Structure formats: C-alpha cells, structure tokens
C-alpha cells in the first residue's frame, strides 16, 4: 500500500514536471507576444548590491523617486517563460563563454545578466579583465570557469583610419576574429546608425569599391547586417556556437507615438503602455533586420524584443541616468533592474532549448 502511494506520488510529480517543461518548451508559443503584469516578486535583484551595475543605469541610486517600474514581469499570452536560475545558468556555462557584442545597449543587456547571476549566486567568485584596445571586458566566474563578456562594437562592421579620414567599411568585419569559437554570441547594433555631427565616429562610408561622404543610413545598416550574416555563414559552427541577435531596442522621445503628444520624451513616465500593442509606427530598422536575417543559412535566433520594450515608456533612466547620455534625457537606455532583465529571461529560455 505504502509502495502504491509512492508510485502515485511519483506519477503526479512526473506529470507536474512534464507540464512545466511543456509550458516552457511550447514551440508554437510566440513568447514575444504578451503584456506586462505586476509581479510583487520583482525586481529580480537589488541594483544597490549588484557589483556590476553601471552608474548610468542605476536609476534608484540616481534618485528616481517612483518604484513601480521595477515590478513588471513580461507575460506571453500563450505560455509562461521559465524563471531565471543563475546557478543553473552557471552550471550550463561551465567552461564556456557568452559574449554580448554591440553598442551600449549590449552593455545594458550584459550588466543586467551579470546582476541576475549575482543575485542568484551571490557567493560566486569572479575576476574581471579588460582587454584595452579590443574593447572587450570579461567577467569570469572562477568556480565555473564561465566567462560573460562584452565586446564594445558600435556598428559590428569595421571603422578604419585611412589618409582621407575614418572610413566605415560596410563589407568588412575584421573584429569577427574575437568572436570565433564563443559558445553563445548575442549581437546588436542600430542606435549609432542615425548619429550625425561631431559624435559621429567616421568620416566616410565605403561600400565595395565606392567611398561616399554619406548615404541612406537605413540602407547602410542593411548592408552591414548582410555582411554580418555572411560572416556568420562563413565562420559559425552551429554545433559549437549559438548565435542570437538582440533585436532593435526602441527609444521614447516622441509622446505622439503613445498618445501623449505633450509628453517631454520619457520624462515622468511611470507606467507602461497598457495591453499588447504599441500605437506608434513599427520600426523600419526591425523590418530591414528581419529581411536580412532571413538570408542567413546558419541558425540565428532573433530576440525580438522591440514590441515588448516599446510598451515600456516608463523603463528608461530619463533624468536619472547621470546625464552622461543625451543631455540628461536618456530615453534610449534602460534602468537596471528593468527591461533588459526580461531580454535575459528570453535569452535564457532560448539558450538551452
Ligand atoms: C509587433 O508589432 C507590430 C505592429 O503592431 C506587428 O505587426 C508585429 O507582428 C509585432 N511583432 C511581434 C513579434 O509581436
Ligand atoms: C537594496 O539594498 C540596499 C543596500 O543594502 C538597501 O538599503 C535597500 O533597502 C535595498 N532595497 C530593497 C528594495 O530591498
Ligand atoms: C502552447 O501554445 C499553444 C498556442 O499558442 C496554446 O494553445 C497552448 O495552450 C500552449 N500550451 C501550453 C502547455 O502552454
Ligand atoms: C512626433 O511624432 C509626430 C507624429 O508622428 C510628428 O508629427 C512630430 O513631428 C514628432 N515630433 C517631433 C519633435 O519629432
């Protein structure tokens, strides 16, 4: 009899596990379609005790007065995401490397992951190493020999100093040598493509043999993604490396896009756009990105975070990002804890599936 009870118990347990697995591995579920719900168990970490969080993202420390924005969890409509487990992640990353490659949105994403790991396993030892000229910073969790790296690369493609000036080469990616053999690669570029004026870090754009003073930036972006896609096809061994593209992280500078034309960018926004649909126009960069990704033969997973992040007009540092970026109105990066934690939960859900 006792045996029977145990058997039943085992059967029930199995059912529960299968159900949980069924939920997280629901391949027919679009995890990018959903809404933001309040969850009292959020935020996933206290940024004040995270040794990794950048000053520019630590909105609580920078005296942002409202706190509700910390408590939103992304809930897909058709299924549930696995909860993040930093210890499990470190075990899976034992002897391995994950690298974020891109602009400061990649840094935002990377620091979020480090804080999430630290909050799960506060005792995990780590060492940091910065590789000066290459623009890489690596944290190694030494008990696991797990490396979590950021490679700062604004455009993914090269910028080369030549006699005429700094030339952006739309068909060259020499930095790709730093990405070879990395187990998990998460790429992103977009925010710098529209940059002009004194902070634009190049003087000319080279496309094939032709050198231009300037060209349509969306078209240039498309060409660079095409070059990157060819790099993936030529260099990635899918048995060794899993490749992700972070998607286009949206900004909130124009309140007309969410029905508040008088809003001063994202300043004072305390709640997300309700529901699942952002009223503004879809991102042209995302359309170009998706078109280019379709031409890549090797597997690349798009973390399609644009729509879910668009809803989070409340998620940016605005005045609480130390004013380092965009003259004190940073509606482009994200507070930590915050929206990039969700990008990492999505990444985590895709990494081992
Ligand atoms: C994002 O929103 C646009 C416009 O509402 C829609 O066409 C698109 O299907 C959405 N994408 C996802 C992944 O939900
Ligand atoms: C975060 O940590 C700081 C420093 O230990 C502490 O003062 C603060 O109360 C914590 N915040 C929350 C929300 O737990
Ligand atoms: C899986 O996704 C489908 C379609 O989105 C949905 O109908 C179904 O209920 C989901 N199953 C689970 C276990 O979440
Ligand atoms: C904001 O968007 C609206 C609608 O697209 C547009 O008419 C307006 O010019 C934009 N405002 C700014 C400051 O760009």
């Amino acid at each position: 009899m006792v045996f029977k009870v145990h058997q039943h118990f085992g059967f029930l347990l199995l059912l529960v596990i299968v159900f949980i697995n069924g939920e997280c591995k629901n391949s027919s579920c679009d995890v990018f379609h959903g809404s933001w719900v309040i969850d009292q168990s959020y935020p996933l970490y206290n940024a004040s005790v995270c040794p990794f969080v950048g000053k520019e993202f630590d909105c609580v420390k920078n005296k942002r007065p409202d706190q509700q924005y910390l408590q939103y969890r992304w809930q897909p409509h058709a299924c549930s995401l696995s909860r993040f487990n930093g210890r499990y992640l470190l075990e899976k990353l034992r002897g391995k490397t994950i690298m974020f490659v891109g602009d400061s949105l990649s840094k935002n994403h990377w620091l979020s992951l480090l804080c999430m790991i630290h909050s799960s396993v506060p005792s995990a030892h780590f060492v940091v190493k910065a590789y000066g000229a290459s623009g890489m910073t690596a944290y190694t969790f030494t008990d696991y020999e797990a490396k979590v790296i950021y490679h700062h690369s604004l455009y993914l493609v090269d910028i080369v100093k030549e006699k005429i000036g700094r030339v952006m080469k739309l068909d060259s990616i020499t930095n790709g040598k730093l990405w070879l053999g990395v187990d998990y690669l998460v790429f992103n570029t977009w925010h710098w493509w529209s940059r002009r004026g004194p902070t634009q870090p190049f003087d000319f754009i080279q496309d094939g043999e032709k050198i231009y003073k300037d060209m349509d930036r969306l078209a240039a972006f498309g060409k660079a993604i095409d070059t990157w896609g060819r790099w993936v096809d030529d260099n990635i061994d899918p048995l060794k490396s899993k490749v992700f593209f972070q998607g286009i992280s949206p900004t909130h500078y124009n309140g007309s896009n969410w029905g508040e034309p008088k809003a001063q960018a994202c300043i004072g926004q305390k709640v997300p756009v309700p529901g699942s649909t952002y009223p503004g126009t879809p991102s042209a960069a995302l359309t170009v990105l998706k078109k280019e990704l379709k031409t890549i033969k090797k597997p690349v997973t798009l973390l399609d975070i644009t729509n879910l992040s668009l809803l989070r007009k409340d998620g940016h540092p605005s005045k609480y990002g130390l004013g380092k970026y965009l003259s004190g109105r940073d509606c482009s990066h994200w507070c930590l804890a915050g929206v990039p934690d969700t990008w990492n939960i999505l990444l985590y859900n895709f990494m081992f599936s």
Side-chain angles (χ1 to χ4, degrees):
M1 200 56 199
V2 172
F3 179 64
K4 250 207 160 131
V5 169
H6 272 187
Q7 251 195 340
H8 266 118
F9 187 62
F11 178 63
L12 266 181
L13 211 63
L14 193 71
L15 255 187
V16 170
I17 288 165
V18 167
F19 182 62
I20 291 171
N21 274 341
E23 269 200 327
C24 17
K25 300 224 168 92
N26 193 338
S27 54
S28 61
C29 168
D30 176 0
V31 291
F32 303 111
H33 201 216
S35 56
W36 292 96
V37 297
I38 295 265
D39 186 329
Q40 300 297 343
S41 73
Y42 273 50
L44 296 176
Y45 52 88
N46 180 344
S48 317
V49 294
C50 173
F52 308 103
V53 67
K55 301 197 285 285
E56 68 272 38
F57 307 131
D58 193 349
C59 298
V60 172
K61 189 176 231 162
N62 298 335
K63 304 207 162 44
R64 178 168 172 171
D66 58 310
Q67 302 262 313
Q68 171 124 331
Y69 74 95
L70 291 165
Q71 300 215 294
Y72 289 99
R73 176 172 58 79
W74 177 248
Q75 177 61 60
H77 285 318
C79 54
S80 288
L81 293 161
S82 299
R83 284 190 83 87
F84 181 85
N85 180 335
R87 191 175 295 278
Y88 180 77
L89 179 68
L90 283 179
E91 281 299 344
K92 296 294 269 187
L93 284 178
R94 191 177 281 282
K96 296 199 163 122
T97 299
I98 178 169
M99 189 191 282
F100 294 87
V101 183
D103 57 31
S104 53
L105 273 308
S106 291
K107 182 182 181 192
N108 220 173
H109 198 183
W110 169 67
L111 294 176
S112 154
L113 184 65
L114 286 165
C115 287
M116 287 165 77
I117 292 173
H118 179 261
S119 153
S120 282
V121 197
S123 61
H125 298 103
F126 59 85
V127 292
V128 62
K129 189 166 174 184
Y131 302 81
S134 71
M136 289 205 300
T137 308
Y139 281 100
T140 304
F141 289 91
T142 47
D143 308 328
Y144 300 83
E145 279 306 313
K147 288 194 169 66
V148 184
I149 304 181
Y150 167 52
H151 177 205
H152 182 68
S153 170
L154 296 180
Y155 300 95
L156 302 181
V157 293
D158 296 337
I159 294 176
V160 180
K161 284 203 180 86
E162 297 189 344
K163 271 197 209 116
I164 52 167
R166 299 160 299 174
V167 183
M168 167 142 76
K169 311 231 168 199
L170 291 179
D171 47 14
S172 169
I173 300 194
T174 51
N175 269 335
K177 63 181 184 291
L178 300 170
W179 314 332
L180 293 172
V182 171
D183 303 276
Y184 297 95
L185 284 160
V186 188
F187 293 92
N188 142 65
T189 178
W190 168 243
H191 280 224
W192 281 73
W193 286 90
S194 56
R195 178 120 3 168
R196 290 186 164 85
T199 59
Q200 173 185 305
F202 59 86
D203 306 304
F204 298 93
I205 302 178
Q206 182 170 356
D207 180 19
E209 296 299 304
K210 295 207 180 78
I211 292 183
Y212 303 93
K213 185 65 195 153
D214 205 346
M215 64 187 284
D216 179 85
R217 296 299 178 86
L218 195 57
F221 168 73
K223 284 171 189 283
I225 298 298
D226 178 61
T227 301
W228 172 80
R230 276 185 281 115
W231 181 89
V232 168
D233 278 339
D234 292 345
N235 293 283
I236 289 292
D237 171 2
L239 295 177
K240 166 72 180 154
S241 305
K242 208 157 180 170
V243 180
F244 295 89
F245 204 97
Q246 183 193 311
I248 305 293
S249 174
T251 60
H252 290 92
Y253 288 104
N254 187 342
S256 298
N257 291 333
W258 65 87
E260 280 185 71
K262 294 216 165 69
Q264 283 186 20
C266 64
I267 294 171
Q269 295 295 326
K270 296 189 175 69
V271 292
V273 173
S276 307
T277 313
Y278 188 71
T281 44
S283 155
L286 182 61
T287 308
V288 169
L289 176 66
K290 284 186 170 172
K291 182 170 152 273
E292 293 298 339
L293 291 184
K294 279 205 189 94
T295 67
I296 303 174
K297 292 176 198 74
K298 298 270 172 74
V300 173
T301 303
L302 173 64
L303 291 179
D304 200 353
I305 48 91
T306 306
N307 283 7
L308 63 91
S309 308
L310 269 172
L311 299 171
R312 293 303 305 277
K313 59 186 171 58
D314 61 323
H316 301 284
S318 71
K319 295 188 287 186
Y320 308 102
L322 292 187
K324 187 177 157 206
Y325 294 104
L326 310 158
S327 40
R329 290 196 334 166
D330 186 351
C331 301
S332 156
H333 299 93
W334 305 91
C335 296
L336 296 182
V339 172
D341 306 338
T342 292
W343 304 348
N344 278 316
I345 290 173
L346 290 160
L347 175 63
Y348 176 82
N349 273 262
F350 281 106
M351 272 173 85
F352 313 118
S353 64

